[in-house]
Amino acid sequence: MPSPAPDQLTGTLRGVLEPVVADAGFEIEDVEVRAAGRKHTVKVVVDVPEDAEETAVGLDAIARLSRSAAAELDRHEHLIAGSYTLEVTSPGIDRPLTRPLHWRRAHLRLVRVTLAGGETIEVRVGRAGPESVTVVEAGAKKPHPRELRYADVTRAVVQVEFKAPPKAEVEALDGAGGADPGNEEQA
């Protein structure tokens, strides 16, 4: 029996794998299926849930989850015709910030933001609330905190830095309550 198209298979596999991922204490961020002839690659991106105490997915947890997910897919081998490679991973640094959780994890990081109007800015991330995040403009001589509404952001990606954040930016965020990433009640 031929396998469904990769885009159809994605939803089916997500449903099969969600209980396994949840039992491991994670949630599925994305499932991607790529096909090359009869060979498939199933990539499952997992992360910790919004309410979890953990802030990252460890390598040992990924290895355990990978074995559990492979066992579950073996029980549903009829879904994928031919051989497949399973990749279980956590989101990389290049993952766009799309949820308040992502912004909280980017606390004090440099982020390139594309605004709804098309303007691109670089900001240092402070306190992230449910509707907005406190930021300061990166590189400003006198950084001033401001609220950036998630609804005004079309894309945001953490930038790699090889040095500590500038003291003035951190201090500006501290004065705005930006040093407390767990404080979600204020927006």
Side-chain angles (χ1 to χ4, degrees):
M1 175 170 83
S3 180
D7 56 337
Q8 295 171 325
L9 189 54
T10 297
T12 302
L13 293 180
R14 178 183 280 271
V16 166
L17 293 172
E18 276 182 336
V20 174
V21 172
D23 285 348
F26 303 112
E27 62 185 26
I28 294 178
E29 282 256 332
D30 192 26
V31 175
E32 180 183 323
V33 179
R34 293 182 306 268
R38 289 185 46 83
K39 292 189 176 219
H40 291 80
T41 299
V42 178
K43 181 177 181 181
V44 182
V45 181
V46 299
D47 205 352
V48 294
E50 189 87 27
D51 59 353
E53 290 182 24
E54 297 291 323
T55 59
V57 181
L59 291 177
D60 290 340
I62 288 284
R64 284 189 302 274
L65 179 56
S66 186
R67 288 188 294 273
S68 299
E72 188 65 21
L73 288 177
D74 286 348
R75 284 192 280 281
H76 293 85
E77 66 183 330
H78 62 281
L79 295 174
I80 305 172
S83 62
Y84 69 91
T85 301
L86 174 64
E87 298 175 7
V88 178
T89 187
S90 60
I93 193 166
D94 59 345
R95 167 194 49 198
L97 307 178
T98 58
R99 298 173 24 204
L101 172 68
H102 301 160
W103 288 91
R104 280 195 301 280
R105 289 185 184 154
H107 184 251
L108 296 182
R109 303 290 301 269
L110 181 66
V111 174
R112 178 168 291 150
V113 177
T114 303
L115 300 171
E119 179 186 5
T120 299
I121 57 174
E122 283 197 345
V123 296
R124 179 85 44 204
V125 176
R127 179 187 38 79
E131 304 294 326
S132 66
V133 61
T134 303
V135 299
V136 295
E137 181 183 345
K141 290 187 190 262
K142 286 187 167 189
H144 297 288
R146 73 174 204 181
E147 292 299 308
L148 180 62
R149 293 176 349 112
Y150 304 130
D152 295 334
V153 174
T154 58
R155 183 166 169 80
V157 179
V158 172
Q159 302 300 293
V160 176
E161 293 183 281
F162 295 104
K163 58 184 178 181
K167 185 177 179 183
E169 293 175 12
V170 173
E171 287 175 351
L173 290 169
D174 283 348
D180 182 10
N183 184 359
E184 301 170 23
E185 301 308 315
Q186 303 171 8

